């Protein structure tokens, strides 16, 4: 299984394998949708991925899952803004698809802010009507799952070409 080869080498041969650099070597131009989608398909299950930060830019990916279990990252937000501004931007991009079927946040978002004492997730949940689940903490399992979605003649993960930050993350 190519998705697990680095981890196997680390366990079997004691090789150090950093969790940085080019992680998704299987990501290619065939995974990028051109021309760009203007909005999600009406039949997709819409899911948000949230990487919230107190001092760094927030990262939000808007994903759709179709009936054939194919994921499409169709939009993104990557910017430094307040939580009220972020909530407004997310709801604006979702339009009549609000609320998403599911929102998942990186667990690093669990640091309370010094001013409110609340985490970014708590602020979005309490003040803006989001329902957010914490992401699974098993990094190797997550990397393996994404690699499986990327592999094969007919991949199960695509990224809209307007999602430049997501594409950059995959390629570097």
């Amino acid at each position: 299984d190519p998705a697990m080869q680095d981890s196997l080498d680390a366990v079997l041969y004691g090789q150090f394998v950093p969790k940085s650099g080019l992680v998704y070597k299987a990501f290619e131009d065939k995974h990028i949708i051109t021309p760009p989608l203007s909005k999600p398909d009406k039949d997709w299950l819409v899911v948000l991925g949230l990487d919230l930060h107190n001092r760094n830019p927030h990262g939000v990916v808007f994903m759709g899952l179709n009936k054939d279990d194919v994921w499409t990252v169709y939009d993104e937000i990557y910017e430094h803004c307040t939580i009220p501004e972020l909530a407004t931007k997310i709801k604006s991009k979702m339009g009549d698809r609000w609320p998403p079927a599911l929102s998942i946040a990186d667990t690093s978002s669990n640091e309370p802010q010094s001013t409110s004492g609340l985490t970014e997730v708590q602020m979005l949940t309490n003040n803006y009507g989001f329902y957010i689940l914490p992401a699974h903490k098993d990094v190797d399992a997550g990397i393996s799952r994404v690699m499986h979605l990327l592999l094969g003649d007919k991949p199960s993960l695509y990224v809209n070409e307007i999602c430049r930050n997501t594409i950059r993350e995959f390629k570097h």
Side-chain angles (χ1 to χ4, degrees):
D1 178 2
M4 294 302 292
Q5 188 60 50
D6 287 342
S7 293
L8 287 173
D9 289 345
V11 172
L12 295 174
Y13 307 112
Q15 295 177 349
F16 174 71
V17 180
K19 297 286 187 233
S20 63
L22 186 57
V23 176
Y24 300 107
K25 297 172 183 140
F27 187 80
E28 302 173 13
D29 287 344
K30 72 179 181 180
H31 297 104
I32 300 172
I33 298 172
T34 57
L37 300 170
S38 60
K39 62 181 181 174
D41 187 279
K42 65 178 178 61
D43 295 325
W44 286 354
L45 179 79
V46 175
V47 177
L48 295 181
L50 305 162
D51 189 9
L52 307 170
H53 295 280
N54 202 356
R55 293 183 178 90
N56 294 323
H58 302 295
V60 180
V61 289
F62 298 77
M63 300 170 284
L65 178 65
N66 73 15
K67 62 180 174 51
D68 298 319
D69 290 329
V70 174
W71 289 93
T72 301
V73 178
Y74 67 87
D75 207 345
E76 68 180 6
I77 296 171
Y78 183 77
E79 68 180 82
H80 195 287
C81 58
T82 65
I83 292 298
E85 291 168 338
L86 183 64
T88 299
K89 290 173 190 290
I90 291 170
K91 289 180 178 183
S92 175
K93 282 186 176 268
M94 292 202 65
D96 64 355
R97 298 302 300 269
W98 173 260
L102 178 65
S103 297
I104 301 172
D106 184 336
T107 55
S108 67
S109 304
N110 291 334
E111 290 296 317
Q113 289 193 343
S114 58
T115 55
S116 68
L118 299 174
T119 67
E120 284 86 357
V121 168
Q122 288 171 328
M123 290 169 47
L124 285 171
T125 302
N126 295 349
N127 302 332
Y128 302 100
F130 284 73
Y131 178 73
I132 302 170
L133 296 175
H136 196 282
K137 291 184 178 187
D138 187 340
V139 174
D140 288 330
I143 291 170
S144 178
R145 177 69 179 131
V146 171
M147 286 296 290
H148 282 292
L149 293 172
L150 292 170
L151 293 171
D153 293 333
K154 189 172 181 195
S156 299
L157 175 61
Y158 296 91
V159 180
N160 196 7
E161 75 173 352
I162 67 166
C163 301
R164 288 186 228 112
N165 292 294
T166 304
I167 292 168
R168 179 181 47 79
E169 288 289 329
F170 270 113
K171 288 188 169 186
H172 296 96

